[in-house]
Amino acid sequence: MGDIVTGDTATGNTGTGYSADEMMTVTASRALRDRMTCFVGIGLPSEAANLARATHARKLVLIYESGTIGSKPGRLPLSIGDGILAETADAVVSVPEIFNYWLQPGRIDIGFLGAGQIDSFGNINTTVIGADYSEPKVRLPGAGGAPEIAASCREVIVIVRQTRRTFVERVDFVTSVGFGDGPGSRQRLGLTGAGPQKIITDLGVLEPDPATCELVLTGVYPGITVPDVKDATGWDLQVSADLSEIPAPCPSELAALRSLHATMPATQGAAR
């Protein structure tokens, strides 16, 4: 599904009692509300969605690409094919039905995506790194359902660790369209969803400017400065005049997230 999350490992403690990944995951979970339908990928997107359902959005409807609707896993799933998703779902349908009936007609509120690269207009690359597609420097996992999610969900949230290697002025390959070349691109391409509305990183939150569609820094985490974020961005990142400091995770959010992590096999926990 293109739910790759790359960049420098940010799982160590920040000296604040929580890690950068925990801050990022909690921030993403707060963007979700009760009764939303949410198309979820594995990894940080799944952690954020399941954390929201375990805390403030207990009626959040989780939809996975494998065809499960309304899954209520008691632990973090290991993949979109994890049996716990089907066992706890309200319904299980075919993959074509998920895409043809639920996703493409715009019936899903939020799509969660990751990125190998993301550019100033929110376009995502999860295909290749390097100018030559046939002989890339790195071949990434590929598109999966990400292009359809980016095109048709009512809005998209991207979760990705922020480095200059990941946040580039223009992606090497457009796997999933954000705002293309700027205003009007999505409309010209016939994309019905609103596109990426939040880019949640381990440093803060970026959102598209309503006029230019270029990503703008709108929030930073405690202890993070604007120069920190600019230094990790491969273009001249603009900063909102209303820049805010995003609240740190509260004890109940951290406890719920760590309880979810505790359900993972030891090898999965070591891989984080």
Side-chain angles (χ1 to χ4, degrees), residues 118-234:
I118 188 166
D119 67 23
S120 60
F121 287 113
N123 301 302
I124 292 172
N125 175 18
T126 56
T127 303
V128 293
I129 302 295
D132 187 347
Y133 177 85
S134 60
E135 296 185 16
K137 295 177 183 177
V138 179
R139 191 169 294 282
L140 299 171
E148 295 290 346
I149 294 167
S152 302
C153 281
R154 291 174 184 167
E155 60 182 87
V156 169
I157 296 173
V158 182
I159 308 179
V160 58
R161 300 184 186 108
Q162 191 161 354
T163 69
R164 283 183 175 266
R165 186 176 58 203
T166 304
F167 280 65
V168 295
E169 187 165 7
R170 296 299 288 172
V171 293
D172 293 338
F173 185 96
V174 179
T175 307
S176 306
V177 177
F179 295 102
D181 294 322
S185 286
R186 292 186 66 85
Q187 291 77 9
R188 287 193 296 272
L189 292 169
L191 307 183
T192 56
Q197 298 302 297
K198 288 184 185 294
I199 313 300
I200 297 174
T201 83
D202 52 343
L203 300 177
V205 175
L206 288 72
E207 299 180 44
D209 181 273
T212 67
C213 296
E214 187 170 336
L215 297 180
V216 174
L217 181 66
T218 59
V220 293
Y221 300 145
I224 301 297
T225 66
V226 169
D228 291 335
V229 185
K230 282 180 168 282
D231 286 347
T233 307

